[in-house]
């Protein structure tokens, strides 16, 4: 039995494209998709206009974004595996580029089992903030994901996994 990555993403029409921004939530692994939709529903209920800017991203596109300085990862990224989303906050219909309108994602993402680019799952915010980014994989698991040694199950909980695996810097509450 394969994974969502091997069975869906690698066989999709979007796989490998470098000039297309994919916003299709069907390109998200089922557990990630459910969590993303829950965050969007909670944001809407709170009066926040939160929109999906990008779901799947090919490695070619990732490399191009790195060259442009839009990402810190050159060759790999969680978007390519269906476990990450970039959100945009809109106020009065205008896309927000500053971090302040995104701060709510830190706690909201945790409530739905996602790691926020606000703090990467850590108790404290760090020097690198990716305001609208969320993913369902803690940073310490990324190497295994990218190498094909591990892929999250639909019921995967990055906070429980981190605790069980001794990664006490990744915490469920802030």
């Amino acid at each position: 039995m394969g994974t969502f990555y091997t069975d869906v993403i690698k066989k999709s029409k979007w796989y490998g494209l470098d000039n297309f921004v994919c916003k299709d939530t069907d390109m998200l692994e089922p557990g990630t998709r459910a969590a993303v939709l829950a965050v969007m529903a909670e944001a809407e209920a709170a009066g926040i206009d939160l929109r999906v800017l990008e779901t799947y991203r090919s490695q070619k596109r990732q490399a191009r974004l790195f060259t442009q300085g839009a990402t810190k990862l050159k060759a790999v990224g969680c978007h390519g595996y269906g476990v990450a989303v970039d959100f945009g906050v809109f106020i009065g219909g205008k896309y927000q580029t500053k971090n302040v309108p995104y701060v709510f994602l830190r706690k909201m993402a945790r409530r739905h089992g996602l790691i926020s680019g606000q703090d990467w799952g850590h108790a404290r915010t760090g020097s690198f903030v990716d305001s609208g980014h969320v993913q369902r994989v803690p940073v310490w698991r990324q190497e295994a994901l990218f190498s094909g040694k591990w892929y999250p199950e639909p019921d995967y909980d990055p906070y429980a996994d981190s605790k069980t695996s001794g990664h006490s810097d990744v915490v469920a509450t802030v």
Side-chain angles (χ1 to χ4, degrees):
M1 184 172 142
T3 64
F4 184 83
Y5 175 71
T6 58
D7 295 346
V8 176
I9 292 176
K10 288 186 84 174
K11 296 176 181 175
S12 80
K13 63 183 177 181
W14 313 118
Y15 187 74
L17 296 179
D18 70 344
N19 59 350
F20 180 77
V21 176
C22 180
K23 298 180 183 188
D24 186 353
T25 57
D26 286 341
M27 289 294 288
L28 296 173
E29 168 282 320
T32 304
R33 182 182 323 119
V36 163
L37 295 175
V39 165
M40 292 180 72
E42 185 177 344
E44 181 179 15
I48 300 167
D49 184 0
L50 184 67
R51 304 178 196 177
V52 171
L53 298 181
E54 189 164 23
T55 56
Y56 168 75
R57 180 184 302 148
S58 72
Q59 295 305 310
K60 288 178 185 176
R61 180 164 161 71
Q62 183 78 27
R64 187 161 41 89
L65 290 172
F66 176 80
T67 301
Q68 295 169 346
T71 182
K72 294 207 180 236
L73 295 175
K74 180 178 183 179
V76 293
C78 287
H79 288 277
Y81 294 87
V83 294
V85 167
D86 285 337
F87 284 123
V89 172
F90 290 75
I91 298 176
K94 185 176 180 194
Y95 171 63
Q96 301 300 297
T97 59
K98 303 286 185 200
N99 185 55
V100 172
Y102 295 85
V103 172
F104 74 93
L105 271 177
R106 186 172 186 223
K107 290 182 180 178
M108 194 179 286
R110 275 179 168 77
R111 284 195 291 273
H112 298 285
L114 295 168
I115 303 287
S116 168
Q118 292 289 318
D119 63 8
W120 303 101
H122 302 287
R124 295 187 187 95
T125 56
S127 59
F128 173 63
V129 174
D130 191 349
S131 299
H133 179 88
V134 297
Q135 61 188 49
R136 207 163 66 92
V137 175
V139 173
W140 66 268
R141 274 273 188 214
Q142 288 181 172
E143 184 178 329
L145 174 71
F146 301 156
S147 68
K149 295 177 184 171
W150 175 86
Y151 195 81
E153 294 293 328
D155 63 348
Y156 175 72
D157 179 340
Y159 296 100
D161 183 25
S162 295
K163 184 176 182 179
T164 302
S165 299
H167 291 270
S168 58
D169 60 328
V170 178
V171 296
T173 58
V174 288

